[in-house]
Amino acid sequence: MNFSNNLRKIRKSLKLSQADLAELVDISQRTISHYEKGDSEPELIIVCRLADAFNVTLDQLLGYDANSDAGRYIDLKNLTLEYYHQKKEAEYKLKNDFPL
């Protein structure tokens, strides 16, 4: 489940209108609508305000489940490490091929 679906699901479970939620987090109802449709994504500060308003964790709001998303996390970690090593290798090669 993604952020837009979670946002709508949690808001409705709390029986809040988009206008009510917008007032709670100090943004417009139209912006809430765009988030729920997936037309735009909020800045981190807004995600934090939404989580506070709902009294949920950021993970819950964003739909992150450490158990089911562990594979994706490991893949991302491996890609990050691979990029880091490639960058270091390129820097080393550049330094040795073109010494100052």
Side-chain angles (χ1 to χ4, degrees), residues 45-90:
I45 188 69
I46 301 300
V47 175
C48 292
R49 286 186 205 162
L50 289 165
D52 284 346
F54 290 151
N55 197 29
V56 298
T57 66
L58 292 175
D59 285 352
Q60 290 169 319
L61 181 57
L62 296 175
Y64 176 76
D65 179 359
N67 294 324
S68 67
D69 292 339
R72 278 194 324 193
Y73 170 76
I74 291 169
D75 290 344
L76 179 60
K77 180 180 172 187
N78 289 338
L79 283 173
T80 303
L81 287 172
E82 182 181 335
Y83 170 78
Y84 172 79
H85 290 297
Q86 287 175 352
K87 181 180 176 206
K88 286 297 183 188
E89 186 177 296

Side-chain angles (χ1 to χ4, degrees), residues 13-29:
S13 75
L14 296 172
K15 299 183 182 357
L16 291 171
S17 68
Q18 288 181 345
D20 293 336
L21 179 57
E23 187 175 327
L24 279 171
V25 295
D26 196 29
I27 57 178
S28 72
Q29 178 273 324

Side-chain angles (χ1 to χ4, degrees), residues 33-49:
S33 176
H34 285 294
Y35 294 160
E36 288 187 359
K37 290 178 186 174
D39 293 339
S40 63
E41 294 183 356
E43 294 180 11
L44 182 57
I45 188 69
I46 301 300
V47 175
C48 292
R49 286 186 205 162

Side-chain angles (χ1 to χ4, degrees), residues 3-21:
F3 169 74
S4 59
N5 290 337
N6 284 345
L7 178 63
R8 183 181 311 107
K9 180 181 168 188
I10 296 169
R11 177 183 61 77
K12 287 185 174 189
S13 75
L14 296 172
K15 299 183 182 357
L16 291 171
S17 68
Q18 288 181 345
D20 293 336
L21 179 57

